[in-house]
Amino acid sequence: MTTEIQTDLEQAVTQRRNFAIISHPDAGKTTLTEKLLLYGGAIHQAGAVKARRAQRKATSDWMEMEQQRGISITSTVLQFEYQDYQINLLDTPGHQDFSEDTYRTLAAADNAVMLIDAAKGLEPQTRKLFEVCKLRSLPIFTFVNKMDRPGREPLELLDEIEQELGLKTYAVNWPIGIGDRFKGVFDRRAQAIHLFERRAHGSQQAQERVITLGDPQIEEYLETELYYQLKEELELISELGGELDLEEVHAGLMTPVFFGSAMTNFGVQLFLEAFLDYALKPEGRNSSIGHIDPTYPDFTGFVFKLQANMDPKHRDRVAFVRVCTGKFEKDMTVNHARTGKVVRLSRPQKLFAQDRESIEVAYPGDVIGLNNPGVFAIGDTIYNGKKLEYEGIPCFSPELFAYLKNPNPSKFKQFQKGIQELREEGAVQIMYSVDDFKRDPILAAVGQLQFEVVQFRMLSEYGVETTLEALPYNLARWVAGGWEAIEKQDEFLIRLLLKIIGIVPFCYLKMSGIYSKSTKTIHNYS
């Protein structure tokens, strides 16, 4: 590799930051995403999760169902520049029914921002997603949101994080007041007080006044009681808390903590600037040929998400690819590790929620969109040079099963197309009974809301009304030994027993286009 190429890669990696936001539903994740885009200059006015008629919708919640219900149900990539950094923000669903989509997205992230409601503290879904981040040793940055509402004491929240998650904490800023008395934050990095002024709906950047801690004018702008309370609390956290250790942060052992309000924009810009300084740049990844650094000269990447109909007018299918090494260039040809085919990547796109624009180059840490004519699947590796494959992305075991029926025979083609494309996406798992008389697809999902999303999208994107017929199973497992093991047993008794205890073996169902009883092919899971 020439010195010029090496320098180009090193500089590009240094300038990139890639992160995902995780939280429990209603902690304010989409609102924080909007405000980061606002301060990053990617949008001029922040949208609302549940917008009034005169307000614009949230950028990241582009799907019609997301806008109607005010929740995030699909992961989104938002790319923008701030100062000298190229930022790839991976917005994830907060609802537990879409944990699998969040898990896939975290596989493409280098950092995680854990959003916490100041009144509720750590909530169940936050804890679950934290465990996923911990498994991958992701650096975790904590933003305590909704400080403008009645909430718990900041010290109590820090203690909860340390006791329940086993993370050391370091408060990068400190709130001045809580609820109606929340006036701003003290930035410990610059030793300055930032007092904010509220703006209508928080759609514009907050006006702020910056005052040094010892400034005699401070009592003109801040109540005496709040000022002395701030000084006492700062002395306390200085004595009890340790120093910020970036090595521990990058190892996932310490979390920098920020306080603010995404709705009113208090503390958002301070968080963004500190995060960019502290966050981990794109790192190397494990592959079939060992650990690969991002400055490895050959291009490599992997598919972590598929999405159909981001542009309903063109019925497109987009593969989200995390660039891991080397330099991606438009029209380059790559090898597809799973199939062994050579693929030309002729229409790469920069992603910004539903909006996209053509790009010429991309570097490690970037996420690009590629048109997917049925070639890519989740977890696929594409590469140039020496063959390699990155670690796969596992599927969650489904807990709910139902036949999806098409009551209108004239919509057969649209029904089949919708099922095929949603299966590729991984929105739900699609299976079929080995009974040839039962031809309706079986939806297998982690949560009930996934069924509702499939039905909604089948109607809105493919024009097909559907009905569901629930099945009496709540667990699916592969049978060790496959079909041969089953056929050696009394099949009727096994079916009866499994039905009684509510388990369906995957070898009684064939996954569309992958598993088939006729070919006797099946994966064995422990």
Side-chain angles (χ1 to χ4, degrees), residues 30-31 34 46-51 56-63 67 353:
T30 299
T31 303
E34 286 290 299
V49 176
K50 293 185 178 179
R56 58 182 298 278
K57 300 286 187 180
T59 306
S60 56
D61 288 347
W62 57 271
M63 195 178 287
Q67 296 173 355

Side-chain angles (χ1 to χ4, degrees), residues 57 245 268 353 437:
K57 300 286 187 180
D245 186 333
V268 174
F437 292 100

Side-chain angles (χ1 to χ4, degrees), residues 73-316:
I73 61 177
T74 185
S75 297
T76 308
V77 177
L78 301 130
Q79 297 172 311
F80 60 98
E81 295 180 4
Y82 183 73
Q83 296 178 353
D84 294 326
Y85 293 97
Q86 179 76 27
I87 302 169
N88 288 263
L89 192 164
L90 308 176
D91 183 42
T92 63
H95 200 287
Q96 63 181 5
D97 286 5
F98 304 102
S99 296
E100 188 167 2
D101 196 17
T102 301
Y103 188 94
R104 296 177 194 139
T105 303
L106 287 172
D110 298 308
N111 304 274
V113 173
M114 180 170 66
L115 189 64
I116 294 176
D117 186 321
K120 299 175 182 177
L122 294 174
E123 297 179 84
Q125 185 65 3
T126 309
R127 291 185 178 90
K128 289 181 181 178
L129 294 173
F130 165 77
E131 292 299 329
V132 176
C133 296
K134 186 177 179 181
L135 285 171
R136 299 198 57 245
S137 298
L138 285 179
I140 297 174
F141 297 79
T142 301
F143 188 91
V144 180
N145 194 26
K146 302 186 181 180
M147 291 300 298
D148 59 323
R149 301 181 185 181
R152 294 161 59 183
E153 290 295 327
L155 285 170
E156 182 184 343
L157 292 167
L158 293 183
D159 185 63
E160 183 178 44
I161 293 171
E162 292 185 354
Q163 296 299 321
E164 296 198 22
L165 302 184
L167 279 177
K168 297 178 184 178
T169 61
Y170 178 85
V172 180
N173 65 25
W174 196 255
I176 304 172
I178 302 175
D180 292 340
R181 302 186 71 194
F182 181 53
K183 304 299 182 183
V185 297
F186 176 74
D187 180 11
R188 296 181 71 192
R189 297 204 309 162
Q191 292 292 297
I193 292 174
H194 291 251
L195 300 177
F196 301 99
E197 295 179 15
R198 297 174 187 264
R199 301 293 294 270
H201 310 304
S203 60
Q204 303 291 332
Q205 295 185 14
Q207 296 296 314
E208 63 177 286
R209 184 183 300 276
V210 182
I211 308 172
T212 58
L213 191 59
D215 194 318
Q217 290 186 315
I218 194 168
E219 294 187 11
E220 296 180 22
Y221 305 105
L222 189 62
E223 299 170 30
T224 302
E225 181 187 347
L226 282 179
Y227 177 56
Y228 284 104
Q229 179 184 334
L230 171 65
K231 291 185 69 175
E232 289 176 6
E233 290 176 342
L234 289 177
E235 289 178 7
L236 186 60
I237 61 174
S238 295
E239 291 176 6
L240 298 179
E243 296 297 320
L244 180 66
D245 186 333
L246 285 182
E247 287 188 5
E248 288 195 315
V249 171
H250 293 166
L253 302 175
M254 173 182 281
T255 178
V257 181
F258 303 81
F259 294 87
S261 166
M263 181 60 71
T264 58
N265 303 338
F266 288 10
V268 174
Q269 186 172 19
L270 287 173
F271 162 72
L272 177 59
E273 292 177 352
F275 169 80
L276 294 175
D277 286 343
Y278 296 157
L280 195 64
K281 64 183 180 182
E283 290 287 286
R285 290 178 173 264
N286 293 325
S287 74
S288 57
I289 62 171
H291 189 79
I292 306 294
D293 288 328
T295 53
Y296 180 75
D298 293 322
F299 164 77
T300 66
F302 67 89
V303 178
F304 68 92
K305 178 179 173 61
L306 300 174
Q307 183 71 53
N309 303 323
M310 291 181 72
D311 183 354
K313 295 179 181 178
H314 296 94
R315 296 293 184 193
D316 59 348

